[in-house]
Amino acid sequence: MPAKIKTKNAIVEMDGDEMTRVLWKMVKDKLIRPHADVNVEYYDLGLENRDRTDDQVTVAAAHATLKHGVAVKCATITPNSERMKEYKLKKEWKSPNGTIRAILDGAVFRCPIMTRNVKPTVPSWKKSIIVGRHAYGDVYKNTEYRVEGPGKAELIFSDKNGKETFRRTIHEFDGPGIIQGIHNLDSSIASFAKACFECALDRKVDIWFGAKDTISKTYDGRFKIIFEQVYQKEYKDKLAKAGIRFAYTLIDDTVARVMRSEGGLLWACKNYDGDVMSDMVASAFGSLAMMTSVLVSPTGVMEFEAAHGTVQKHYYKHLQGEKTSTNSMALIFAWSGALRKRGELDGAPDVEAFADALEKSAIATVEGGFMTGDLARIASPAPRRICSSEEFLAAVAQRLAASRK
Ligand code: NAP
Ligand code: MG
């Protein structure tokens, strides 16, 4: 076995909850620690510790991510009233991902992991499609009103001195109906655009953005203008140097092109489009357990995680001593993504190579017919063995060790 690789600068590690916390430890013990001395700055985002620290641990982890530039995060429980009781919480703490996203001013990109034996539902898709969702504003921060009867709806804007500077009729109602007010911010759209360009550069894929600027000339038109400005000012040369293209088309056209494409692109989506399309793309690629997710800040800071949650049902089985067959692929890829990024930033090709080896071993294991139950249902040909959580990781570990001889 070659000498252990070492990382120079720190990766921020955020531990999490339930089944993913169990798998997290196994991934570290079986796949990372035997081969690498990773300099981690550890934060325990497990729900008990968030409660103990009044959620300050989440805030500290996010600031550490800004400082070090790379983080890897386990799935965490977002508490609701049931969880309040289950964990006897002081408070219904906010979603950790929401807290971290706000501090990093980041956008989330979901990237499927592809293997030869789990084929996408869309036959032309040969490479993965990364969906980036602008997670601010629009219909998600709306003001709505149910109109009960005849009357007039107007759009009014007053400046900070209270002086009315804009008024236009939305509709003169003859009878009942509905109205809705939405907004967005230039700064948020620009941050999103930067995060998209940073992610495309990192993954070395073309970037497509679509909106409805023919119909919504001012609102969607603004998205188009800001993307173009950010591109021209900050990314045109960088993308050209990397051989990456940026294309804006009408959203209808983007959807049609994505369906006919062979993949290998980043699809930047407005908030609602991203909400809907990311679920479509995820299900077309097979399994939630094969979906990774990366939070990218406008300055290129990255936090890697699995797109799925803490797999609560499997955890309860695990607690009762039953065997589980929980897929650790997305967690493994969260680690490899963070290690590769760390290696890139530190100029450490051996760290990047280890990240590649880790991913190759995991993919080869699935392609060799060893997989967990979720994939067994959709794999073709049928698996050679449906593995337990531990067996799958042991099989990956064996391949990884062999590849490093
Ligand atoms: P989930 O953990 O994603 O699991 C939903 C179902 O998807 C599972 O019951 C399982 O289906 C399947 N699944 C997901 N990941 C899998 C894997 N790795 N291997 C095999 N099957 C997998 O969603 P949830 O149960 O609705 O949420 C549980 C907790 O996760 C919640 O408290 C929520 O707040 C949290 N959550 C966290 C994040 C995050 O931190 N990023 C994201 C989403 C949810 P079967 O039961 O049919 O096998
Ligand atoms: Mg959705």
Side-chain angles (χ1 to χ4, degrees):
M1 192 95 78
K4 275 194 187 185
I5 59 144
K6 285 190 173 43
T7 58
K8 199 158 54 179
N9 293 301
I11 292 178
V12 174
E13 177 190 348
M14 305 182 204
D15 211 337
D17 290 301
E18 300 194 313
M19 198 60 209
T20 43
R21 189 178 180 104
V22 175
L23 294 175
W24 193 255
K25 182 169 186 310
M26 297 200 297
V27 168
K28 283 196 296 183
D29 289 346
K30 290 192 164 28
L31 302 180
I32 313 284
R33 286 201 179 115
H35 305 284
D37 284 327
V38 183
N39 173 7
V40 295
E41 195 168 305
Y42 179 86
Y43 292 85
D44 182 1
L45 265 57
L47 187 49
E48 280 122 342
N49 195 44
R50 276 182 277 147
D51 196 50
R52 206 175 299 129
T53 62
D54 292 339
D55 208 21
Q56 285 314 301
V57 65
T58 309
V59 174
H63 285 291
T65 304
L66 282 177
K67 179 174 160 206
H68 296 294
V70 187
V72 60
K73 180 180 170 290
C74 183
T76 45
I77 292 169
T78 297
N80 54 18
S81 55
E82 281 159 35
R83 300 296 202 166
M84 283 278 287
K85 275 184 241 139
E86 184 183 354
Y87 285 84
K88 303 190 177 60
L89 301 177
K90 296 184 210 158
K91 221 176 119 178
E92 220 173 272
W93 304 108
K94 281 196 272 184
S95 148
N97 285 9
T99 301
I100 298 165
R101 196 165 62 212
I103 292 170
L104 264 62
D105 186 19
V108 174
F109 299 85
R110 280 176 147 202
C111 331
I113 304 161
M114 293 183 74
T115 61
R116 274 199 301 272
N117 45 352
V118 180
K119 298 206 172 54
T121 328
V122 180
S124 67
W125 292 356
K126 303 278 186 276
K127 298 180 214 154
S128 62
I129 294 171
I130 303 171
V131 177
R133 171 180 172 189
H134 181 212
Y136 178 83
D138 298 355
V139 69
Y140 302 86
K141 261 193 188 293
N142 66 12
T143 306
E144 302 186 315
Y145 179 63
R146 159 75 170 135
V147 175
E148 299 285 357
K152 183 157 95 172
E154 290 176 294
L155 186 62
I156 301 165
F157 184 80
S158 313
D159 68 17
K160 65 177 195 305
N161 303 319
K163 184 170 166 269
E164 186 181 307
T165 54
F166 180 86
R167 178 186 288 259
R168 191 161 299 166
T169 302
I170 296 169
H171 191 70
E172 305 248 12
F173 285 86
D174 296 329
I178 39 183
I179 54 172
Q180 178 184 63
I182 59 170
H183 82 281
N184 222 301
L185 304 172
D186 282 14
S187 58
S188 174
I189 301 167
S191 288
F192 175 57
K194 284 183 199 178
C196 290
F197 289 122
E198 289 291 335
C199 187
L201 274 171
D202 187 62
R203 298 295 164 112
K204 298 177 183 60
V205 289
D206 287 347
I207 165 167
W208 296 8
F209 177 53
K212 196 75 184 173
D213 66 293
T214 45
I215 299 297
S216 168
K217 291 187 168 52
T218 303
Y219 198 103
D220 278 29
R222 193 77 205 141
F223 278 81
K224 180 183 173 181
I225 290 168
I226 291 175
F227 261 77
E228 185 62 28
Q229 281 173 347
V230 170
Y231 169 68
Q232 290 292 346
K233 215 172 122 204
E234 292 177 54
Y235 289 96
K236 197 174 175 188
D237 296 340
K238 283 188 209 167
L239 294 189
K241 220 177 266 167
I244 293 169
R245 280 174 310 178
F246 163 58
Y248 175 86
T249 53
L250 268 183
I251 182 70
D252 330 36
D253 193 38
T254 315
V255 171
R257 280 169 193 265
V258 166
M259 295 309 288
R260 287 195 310 265
S261 79
E262 61 164 39
L265 59 97
L266 187 155
W267 183 4
C269 290
K270 286 183 61 202
N271 209 347
Y272 177 81
D273 299 340
D275 183 354
V276 178
M277 292 304 169
S278 65
D279 285 332
M280 184 194 75
V281 171
S283 80
F285 274 105
S287 163
L288 193 55
M290 296 291 273
M291 192 59 77
T292 62
S293 173
V294 56
L295 175 68
V296 181
S297 86
T299 53
V301 168
M302 293 190 186
E303 180 235 311
F304 296 83
E305 65 170 336
H308 60 75
T310 60
V311 212
Q312 183 182 14
K313 280 193 213 137
H314 295 210
Y315 181 59
Y316 289 163
K317 273 172 73 179
H318 168 82
L319 285 182
Q320 303 195 322
E322 281 180 54
K323 274 236 170 300
T324 57
S325 183
T326 317
N327 190 343
S328 48
M329 284 293 276
L331 294 174
I332 295 170
F333 273 66
W335 273 97
S336 60
L339 284 164
R340 182 179 297 107
K341 188 73 205 165
R342 187 70 275 166
E344 251 172 56
L345 293 175
D346 294 351
D350 58 331
V351 177
E352 290 181 66
F354 174 67
D356 292 344
L358 182 54
E359 291 182 1
K360 273 202 192 121
S361 307
I363 287 176
T365 303
V366 173
E367 290 185 342
F370 292 80
M371 61 191 82
T372 43
D374 56 311
L375 293 185
R377 286 194 287 271
I378 51 175
S380 156
R384 285 169 57 196
R385 179 165 179 84
I386 302 177
C387 300
S388 68
S389 309
E390 292 84 359
E391 283 168 350
F392 178 73
L393 275 161
V396 177
Q398 203 176 18
R399 275 184 194 266
L400 180 63
S403 78
R404 284 177 48 78
K405 279 230 171 78

